[in-house]
Amino acid sequence: MSKLILNQNGVRRKIDFSSPTPLSTVLDMLPHPCGGKGFCGKCRVRIMGKISAPTAAERTMLSREQLRDGVRLACQVTLNGDAQVTVADTAAPAKATSSDVPRKKPLGEKYGLSIDLGTTTICAAVFDLQTGKRCTEGSAANPQARYGADVLSRVESAIQGNGNELSRCIRHALFDLCAQVMMTAKLAPGDVDAAVLVGNTAMLYLLFGLDPTGISTSPFQCDTLFGDFYPADFLPVRRGTKVFVPRCISAFLGADAAAAALACGLHRPGDRMVADLGTNGEILLRSGNELLGCSCAAGPAFEGVGLSCGSPAVDGAVRSVLLSGGRTVYETVNGTSPTGICGSGYTDWFACLRKTGELKKDGTLCADRVYLGDTPLYLSQKDVRAFQLAKSAVRTGMEYLLRSSLDAAPGSLDIAGSFGSALSMRSAVAIGLIPPQLTPVARAVGNAAATGAAMVLLDDSLTQTAYDLASSTKTIPLADQPDFSDRLCDNLTLE
Ligand code: FES
């Protein structure tokens, strides 16, 4: 049996454990807004003893000095034997004491909701605001899909007179989803007294019943970019509770992009890029003190929508594919029988088909339909074209940001979004989704927009940080770039 000496708030106690064991399972009092993926930085501790070496995520999140000082991310550390850990004052400089460090103040007092209003999927999580722990989470399809799969078609539908209905249906869906996650956490409406909601600019306009005409036509003027508290009358929460919506960056880059950037640390010094890949691809780059962003109309292919056998990443969706001994093998979400293919599954499959020669570099498929192993799931030429367009839009957006910055050498590329969470970087590179210079620093970080929303919920000082980040980001309008169409065509190739 090994020993962990825990120092917390001036109290010292001993915890026995069998090594090796993840530190986060021993220290279960720490908040984990990013779900332990190593990119929110909220589980920092100072630790010494027999522990694993820093991971790539820690080397991105923490400075060399911090690592030298023993500061680590608890979610990334494995205990290999006896160790001593200090919790609470670890995010502070080495000489600080716990009394120097202001405690983080959440937006409410009891429980809070963090909500990600996506074009295809809506997600909600409940947090205990005293401990910072996530109690439950859930997701559902965005019912506005019946008015169009992408943002533009829904905005057009609203302009043609369906605005009230678009607002009404998403309000109902958010109410139902939040009621469901709160019920799982055994909470009543009176228990929840704070909420943070993120979404792209158009989704927020449609939620609040605002006229989206200005954000959909040149010069793309916004009547509001949010960044304030609003009545939470569409959520099952305590009466009088307000929902905080972080500031959007522009008509094309929403509060979700700002939240993802916050979660991935773009408000701190260091050159980083984050690509939040959903129906609307939003990409941000920090280079020195400059913050640049662009939005690319990827369409819903990455989320498995609009493809013959496409599926969101739900139970039964094929999420990874590889070649083994000349056979195509696959894995589904939760290991159930295959019912569809999600974005990461398609990316892997394309990479395999390129290897076997069944898919040409220009996207030509060797047959009208290619089946996945012995399943009834197949790929058509139309599917390949839809995926090529999405992939090209994202790659082109990344290239423009790199080209627009003075010193384009980001030390990390965080691929966010449900598509990104199961994405194999090897396959993403094989089909040319990522520019070659970013390949060694690319990693999948899951739903960073939701993580950013949770971070704001748990720390009210981040409402201002998110505002500053959004207001200082310059949007690059891709369609205005002189060689945009040429780049888009060139990037259709599956390398
Ligand atoms: S929980 Fe460890 S970095 Fe987010």
Side-chain angles (χ1 to χ4, degrees):
M1 197 58 86
S2 304
K3 283 189 287 301
L4 178 72
I5 305 295
L6 167 64
N7 298 298
Q8 188 179 24
N9 301 328
V11 180
R12 191 178 151 91
R13 69 187 170 100
K14 189 179 88 173
I15 303 171
D16 293 325
F17 65 94
S18 316
S19 55
T21 196
L23 177 60
S24 55
T25 59
V26 182
L27 295 184
D28 61 354
M29 78 292 279
L30 293 171
H32 290 94
C34 74
K37 294 198 174 69
F39 71 94
C40 73
K42 294 290 164 188
C43 63
R44 278 181 222 194
V45 295
R46 183 173 287 121
I47 184 164
M48 291 171 66
K50 292 186 182 154
I51 53 172
S52 55
T55 63
E58 288 178 289
R59 285 197 296 273
T60 305
M61 288 297 301
L62 303 169
S63 66
R64 255 191 233 137
E65 292 70 36
Q66 286 175 313
L67 286 170
R68 216 170 28 227
D69 259 5
V71 178
R72 299 286 299 271
L73 301 178
C75 67
Q76 302 290 302
V77 174
T78 300
L79 293 167
N80 294 322
D82 293 350
Q84 276 201 34
V85 65
T86 304
V87 173
D89 63 342
T90 49
K95 284 190 187 141
T97 64
S98 55
S99 57
D100 297 327
V101 183
R103 270 187 68 82
K104 305 229 181 312
K105 188 168 155 314
L107 289 188
E109 285 174 2
K110 296 175 84 181
Y111 292 89
L113 283 164
S114 70
I115 303 163
D116 176 25
L117 167 52
T119 311
T120 305
T121 309
I122 54 177
C123 307
V126 180
F127 282 82
D128 179 329
L129 299 179
Q130 292 306 311
T131 62
K133 286 180 83 174
R134 182 164 47 191
C135 308
T136 51
E137 60 183 333
S139 62
N142 185 329
Q144 292 174 327
R146 61 177 177 268
Y147 296 90
D150 55 36
V151 172
L152 266 187
S153 39
R154 282 185 219 168
V155 164
E156 269 163 29
S157 179
I159 293 170
Q160 281 160 13
N162 291 321
N164 287 343
E165 181 48 27
L166 278 153
S167 174
R168 197 187 62 76
C169 76
I170 190 60
R171 283 172 167 253
H172 279 182
L174 288 172
F175 186 98
D176 290 348
L177 174 63
C178 293
Q180 185 196 317
V181 291
M182 284 165 55
M183 204 187 328
T184 311
K186 299 191 172 43
L187 297 177
D191 295 326
V192 176
D193 58 2
V196 175
L197 182 145
V198 299
N200 67 51
T201 313
M203 288 299 106
L204 295 175
Y205 267 63
L206 298 180
L207 168 69
F208 288 103
L210 303 173
D211 179 2
T213 309
I215 59 167
S216 61
T217 44
S218 181
F220 304 104
Q221 293 291 351
C222 296
D223 295 327
T224 176
L225 286 168
F226 303 93
D228 210 338
F229 289 85
Y230 300 85
D233 51 2
F234 55 95
L235 298 175
V237 293
R238 182 189 285 185
R239 190 186 287 266
T241 297
K242 299 222 162 168
V243 55
F244 180 72
V245 180
R247 187 193 190 273
C248 298
I249 295 166
S250 64
F252 304 121
L253 289 165
D256 53 353
L262 181 74
C264 295
L266 266 70
H267 55 299
R268 290 193 297 264
D271 295 354
R272 300 187 171 96
M273 182 182 271
V274 54
D276 193 357
L277 304 185
T279 307
N280 201 36
E282 294 167 322
I283 309 171
L284 282 96
L285 169 69
R286 181 181 182 115
S287 178
N289 288 327
E290 194 180 31
L291 274 161
L292 301 172
C294 70
S295 156
C296 40
F302 287 149
E303 304 200 44
V305 175
L307 307 177
S308 310
C309 298
S311 160
V314 294
D315 287 2
V318 173
R319 50 177 260 157
S320 73
V321 180
L322 56 91
L323 290 172
S324 173
R327 286 181 52 239
T328 306
V329 292
Y330 58 83
E331 185 189 278
T332 61
V333 176
N334 281 336
T336 50
S337 352
T339 52
I341 309 168
C342 65
S344 58
Y346 276 111
T347 309
D348 278 351
W349 197 14
F350 286 171
C352 294
L353 292 172
R354 283 287 299 125
K355 235 185 238 172
T356 59
E358 291 167 276
L359 181 63
K360 296 217 172 73
K361 191 173 173 178
D362 66 1
T364 308
L365 207 52
C366 65
D368 287 347
R369 285 183 180 188
V370 172
Y371 286 86
L372 177 64
D374 54 1
T375 74
L377 304 174
Y378 67 89
L379 190 63
S380 71
Q381 188 63 65
K382 210 167 134 236
D383 298 334
V384 179
R385 295 298 179 219
F387 211 85
Q388 276 181 288
L389 284 174
K391 170 253 168 196
S392 172
V394 169
R395 167 82 180 247
T396 305
M398 288 182 185
E399 287 180 352
Y400 271 110
L401 288 194
L402 292 172
R403 214 166 80 173
S404 306
S405 85
L406 296 172
D407 178 19
S412 63
L413 166 62
D414 289 341
I415 309 269
S418 60
F419 165 61
S421 59
L423 182 67
S424 147
M425 288 307 146
R426 190 186 293 239
S427 300
V429 170
I431 67 161
L433 177 65
I434 299 171
Q437 68 267 44
L438 296 182
T439 306
V441 294
R443 62 176 183 157
V445 295
N447 190 344
T451 300
M455 287 167 64
V456 174
L457 181 70
L458 298 175
D459 180 357
D460 75 345
S461 72
L462 292 180
T463 56
Q464 186 61 43
T465 309
Y467 188 94
D468 294 343
L469 198 154
S471 59
S472 56
T473 300
K474 183 177 158 204
T475 302
I476 309 285
L478 293 187
D480 291 357
Q481 307 302 312
D483 56 349
F484 178 64
S485 312
D486 293 344
R487 294 302 312 138
L488 210 53
C489 279
D490 289 350
N491 284 330
L492 287 172
T493 54
L494 300 164
E495 291 168 6

